[in-house]
Amino acid sequence: ILPRRPDLKVIVTSATIDADRFAQHFASKAGPAPVLQVSGRLFPVEIRWRPFEESRDRDVGDAICDAVDELWRGTAEQGAAGSGDVLVFLPGEREIRDAAEKLRKHHPPGVEVLPLFARLSQEQQDEVFASHSARRIVLATNVAETSLTVPGIRYVIDAGTARIKRYSFRNKVEQ
């Protein structure tokens, strides 16, 4: 469409893109498309991993509560009590609602538990980005992993599960 609509501009953003290949693909008579690179900030990352098997007594919500407790206990021991919000990645709305309910019951009233998924109203989604003074736990879908920057996040918990769409040839629908 670009040859027919010279007034349009294409902007491609990615952290993992092969910029040279895209620049050549969108080349014009003047040469390859311009490439702007903005280097991101690098922070030290500590990765903690633990196996989890769901049972009748424990579910993912219990594991998330334990992980948040461990993270916040660690900051208190280091003299950084009160600093750092937590972002939890879950595969979908139902898992977010279940985990939010469990976290609200588990943590004291001063902790804000905020869900973030597409079907929330714009006002509810905006709460996540508003300034705050209380500790927060933001529960988001895995889509947020590549498209959002939530201010104040110091810790990330990834449940390690994802919802994958599949096309059912027999039913002619995505599942």
Side-chain angles (χ1 to χ4, degrees):
I1 197 168
L2 288 176
R4 289 182 289 168
R5 293 281 312 270
D7 57 318
L8 291 179
K9 304 293 181 211
V10 174
I11 299 173
V12 180
T13 63
S14 173
T16 58
I17 197 170
D18 181 352
D20 294 332
R21 187 172 175 193
F22 267 78
Q24 291 303 323
H25 177 78
F26 289 105
S28 66
K29 294 175 185 170
V35 174
L36 301 173
Q37 292 185 343
V38 179
S39 62
R41 295 185 212 153
L42 299 176
F43 297 98
V45 174
E46 176 186 344
I47 297 175
R48 299 177 191 181
W49 180 85
R50 70 180 65 161
F52 170 74
E53 288 188 33
E54 196 163 350
S55 67
R56 289 184 182 178
D57 302 345
R58 288 182 53 75
D59 62 5
V60 173
D62 294 315
I64 292 169
C65 288
D66 292 346
V68 170
D69 288 345
E70 180 183 326
L71 290 170
W72 284 349
R73 205 174 30 249
T75 59
E77 291 168 4
Q78 295 170 2
S83 66
D85 298 335
V86 177
L87 175 61
V88 180
F89 290 127
L90 292 161
E93 180 180 339
R94 183 183 54 200
E95 293 84 0
I96 288 173
R97 289 187 188 278
D98 292 346
E101 183 179 331
K102 184 146 300 202
L103 284 162
R104 286 186 184 111
K105 290 178 183 175
H106 178 78
H107 286 288
V111 174
E112 287 184 86
V113 178
L114 300 171
L116 181 61
F117 50 87
R119 288 185 357 135
L120 287 175
S121 70
Q122 186 64 45
E123 187 176 292
Q124 290 172 309
Q125 290 182 33
D126 289 343
E127 277 183 54
V128 172
F129 304 100
S131 61
H132 61 284
S133 57
R135 279 192 152 175
R136 281 186 166 178
I137 303 170
V138 177
L139 304 164
T141 58
N142 300 69
V143 173
E145 194 169 359
T146 58
S147 61
L148 291 178
T149 301
V150 180
I153 297 297
R154 184 159 177 194
Y155 307 102
V156 175
I157 298 171
D158 192 335
T161 55
R163 183 153 295 147
I164 300 171
K165 288 185 181 185
R166 295 187 182 168
Y167 181 74
S168 171
F169 185 75
R170 178 179 293 155
N171 298 328
K172 307 283 191 251
V173 295
E174 280 188 351
Q175 300 174 328

